[in-house]
């Protein structure tokens, strides 16, 4: 019997989850819940239609795991605890500073309902977190570095678009190659914000706008750009559409550590991602953890979980024996 | 209270475990069990002495986890099931083809005794296996490549030393750079054995030995070298000692996959290790999994486990709340 999945929210992430379900033969999509008019939403999965978000609770017995695809700022803090009363859930809450609070809220709801709620699933938080933990546990005398990019930062792109005179904008976060090399060499450098990443902006200016002022405003924007070496390129709307419509991302978690009674041996562990589509990769991680949520729930577990709490075997549709034979 | 560790066997791996325990404040070394004369063994941990291997069972209540540091060919198939009758155990059994059989033997012993037995812990099998599983679970439409090196292969070095006229030999396995690049590009190449790795040998010939014959015998040796591009360098015993006395290793697990309804987006996941000391890194992994074995046993679990069965949080001495705050 397939694992019956519901998707809550149908933006980039929800559409990515739909595509990922189609790649996993042990899963089926039951419906997509939307706050818009469900009749106006055409899904890509044959035979599946959308449902109004406020009807979700009524479908509690038809869905094994709900994958919540809202935003971390305002959607997930409300949706995840609310839906965990009825469903095993998975979300991609990525506001690192507020994870402990989100965990506590979701844990209370999930425990009371006897459901599994996986939060902060994706690649950062998610796969990167897992690699930060594994590296620290294996090499206690070590230092970890996380680099992001090359990839599109949605938040920084939004910030550019708020500057007066900007019609459209896209920002790429790019790790500084020499910093990556220094870390890989085992030199354990102390790196400032500016030394780790550069920010490259592509801007379509409105007609007659003062480009020099726009560039200055972007480069001096506190928090977003002021602490970085930032470059600004003005391009046409056609160039923006042609060259910058994808949502690539990626990054690196590099750990440099020492072993031996005198720390005489160095070790470098590197995990990296190069993703054509940030939302589709995140969605693929969500779907694998939905499988884990389903199986852990079947075994009687409940409460809030993160990637740290999931034994990897739960993520795979294969049996333990098959995993040991084929992948160990 | 510390986790009380016993080490069974005191070769490169056992000494590495001793060094790793010294890096983990929540652990203490109780003793090292040896089949040699314990009085002749001087440990590096102050105040700790060796014990005769046949006295192990008598110390069952003084040791929380036994880390078994024997070889996979003949030691571990006997030692791990035998010791799992008395202790939670961890081993680094790395004979991939025989893992299912080893698992079954160890599982029966550990279940009967109510102990946890972690097998095949290290980096391959171990961290590499974990990355093979994670990648496959996240990207079902994908292909994985494992490369080893640059590093010393003990088995191939031994094979060289068995050639007539060879006084000493060391073999490095080296991934072919162009193959790595092809995989990273997402081209999903089909690679032959010869296209993935080259083998570089350093040989000290005995006085008067026929070097041309030695080189030919090495290069044509079936299974070990015949399927590879192999280079043989003759060096002096002094050069061997000066330049080749370390035991570095490492490698790469690279997964290349596609997402989207039409497979339109590509993703590359890469995990790599660059290790100055293969046994010390393996030892560090063993010690982290010893912590997990201890905690899982405390929670009432038993039976044989692999890296696939261990929720990552068990590996860290930190609390769940601290992990979520600091590493998620």
């Amino acid at each position: 019997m397939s694992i019956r999945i519901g998707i809550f929210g149908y933006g980039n992430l929800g559409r990515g989850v739909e595509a990922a379900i189609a790649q996993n033969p042990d899963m089926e999509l039951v419906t997509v819940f939307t706050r818009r008019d469900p009749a106006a939403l055409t899904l890509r999965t044959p035979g599946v239609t959308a449902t109004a978000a406020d009807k979700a609770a009524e479908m509690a017995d038809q869905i094994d795991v709900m994958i919540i695809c809202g935003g971390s700022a305002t959607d997930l803090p409300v949706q995840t605890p609310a839906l965990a009363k009825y469903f095993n859930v998975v979300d991609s809450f990525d506001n690192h500073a507020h994870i402990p609070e989100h965990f506590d809220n979701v844990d209370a709801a999930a425990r009371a309902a006897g459901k599994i709620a996986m939060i902060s699933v994706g690649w950062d938080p998610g796969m990167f977190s897992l690699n930060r933990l594994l590296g620290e546990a294996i090499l206690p005398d070590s230092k970890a570095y996380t680099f992001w990019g090359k990839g599109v930062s949605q938040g920084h792109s939004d910030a550019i678009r708020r500057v007066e005179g900007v019609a459209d904008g896209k920002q790429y976060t790019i790790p500084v190659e020499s910093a990556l090399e220094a870390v890989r060499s085992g030199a354990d450098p102390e790196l400032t914000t500016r030394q780790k990443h550069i920010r490259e902006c592509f801007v379509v200016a409105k007609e007659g706008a003062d480009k020099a002022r726009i560039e200055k405003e972007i480069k001096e924007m506190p928090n977003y750009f002021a602490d970085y070496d930032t470059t600004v390129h003005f391009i046409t709307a056609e160039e923006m559409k042609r060259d910058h419509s994808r949502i690539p991302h990626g990054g690196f978690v590099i750990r440099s550590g020492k072993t031996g009674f005198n720390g005489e041996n160095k070790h470098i562990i590197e995990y990296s991602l190069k993703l054509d589509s940030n939302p589709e990769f995140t969605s693929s991680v969500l779907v694998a953890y939905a499988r884990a949520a389903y199986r852990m729930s079947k075994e009687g577990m409940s409460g809030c979980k993160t990637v740290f709490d999931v034994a990897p075997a739960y993520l795979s549709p294969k049996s333990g024996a098959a995993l040991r034979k084929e992948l160990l």
Side-chain angles (χ1 to χ4, degrees), chain A:
Chain A
M1 207 182 79
S2 300
I3 305 173
R4 300 168 303 169
I5 305 285
I7 297 175
F8 199 92
Y10 200 60
N12 283 333
L13 201 59
R15 287 194 297 271
V17 169
E18 185 184 18
I21 291 169
Q23 290 187 313
N24 285 281
D26 62 334
M27 303 200 170
E28 60 172 302
L29 177 63
V30 176
T31 188
V32 171
F33 295 96
T34 177
R35 287 175 293 193
R36 291 174 275 171
D37 174 14
L41 212 63
T42 306
L43 307 183
R44 298 192 63 177
T45 308
V48 179
T49 55
T51 305
D54 56 13
K55 299 265 190 283
E58 298 169 26
M59 292 183 70
D61 61 349
Q62 296 167 56
I63 288 169
D64 295 314
V65 186
M66 183 79 95
I67 302 180
I68 312 176
C69 299
S72 294
T74 56
D75 295 335
L76 298 177
V78 177
Q79 291 171 352
T80 307
L83 290 166
K85 290 178 190 164
Y86 304 100
F87 303 96
N88 297 310
V89 299
V90 182
D91 82 17
S92 63
F93 186 79
D94 66 358
N95 190 335
H96 291 260
H98 290 99
I99 286 174
E101 183 188 336
H102 187 55
F103 182 93
D104 290 340
N105 292 338
V106 173
D107 193 47
R111 273 184 201 282
K115 301 292 182 187
I116 288 276
M118 302 262 182
I119 63 160
S120 301
V121 171
W123 60 273
D124 196 359
M127 291 299 108
F128 273 22
S129 321
L130 199 55
N131 277 281
R132 286 188 286 260
L133 186 159
L134 289 168
E136 184 179 278
I138 293 168
L139 297 174
D141 181 9
S142 66
K143 207 168 156 165
Y145 297 82
T146 301
F147 292 88
W148 296 274
K150 181 180 177 176
V152 173
S153 163
Q154 223 55 62
H156 289 80
S157 299
D158 291 345
I160 293 172
R161 287 192 286 261
R162 287 192 295 265
V163 172
E164 200 194 314
V166 170
D168 198 2
K170 200 124 185 188
Q171 194 266 184
Y172 295 89
T173 305
I174 306 171
V176 174
E177 195 57 44
S178 60
L180 278 173
E181 286 311 318
V183 170
R184 284 185 187 127
S185 77
D188 295 351
E190 294 290 338
L191 296 168
T192 63
T193 298
R194 188 179 300 273
Q195 288 168 326
K196 286 185 73 185
H197 296 94
I198 58 177
R199 299 201 176 276
E200 188 172 28
C201 308
F202 293 87
V203 177
V204 180
K206 288 182 183 162
E207 193 158 332
D210 179 351
K211 291 182 180 176
R213 179 196 48 79
I214 290 174
E215 178 166 347
K216 186 166 183 293
E217 269 191 44
I218 291 173
K219 287 184 170 177
E220 293 177 355
M221 200 184 296
N223 302 318
Y224 286 92
F225 294 102
D227 297 335
Y228 298 85
D229 288 335
T230 302
T231 55
V232 177
H233 309 279
F234 288 95
I235 60 175
T236 65
E238 292 69 38
E239 287 169 330
M240 180 65 84
K241 194 172 169 184
R242 187 190 67 204
D243 302 332
H244 303 283
S245 54
R246 302 188 94 166
I247 317 172
H249 219 312
F252 306 80
V253 176
I254 308 177
R255 183 165 291 270
S256 156
K258 291 174 192 158
T259 63
F261 273 98
N262 303 304
E264 60 271 34
N265 287 307
K266 300 214 74 168
H267 308 281
I268 306 287
I269 308 173
E270 178 167 343
Y271 179 83
S272 71
L273 295 173
K274 204 170 75 188
L275 312 173
D276 270 1
S277 165
N278 182 356
E280 283 186 9
F281 186 80
T282 301
S283 299
S284 298
V285 182
L286 287 168
V287 166
Y289 278 87
R291 179 182 293 117
Y294 171 75
R295 296 164 79 183
M296 291 167 76
S297 171
K298 281 274 174 208
E299 292 186 11
M301 299 184 218
S302 67
C304 191
K305 310 285 177 191
T306 74
V307 294
F308 297 158
D309 306 308
V310 178
Y314 285 116
L315 301 169
S316 169
K318 292 182 177 171
S319 70
L323 290 175
R324 287 189 291 275
K325 189 170 191 297
E326 297 169 23
L327 297 172
L328 196 64

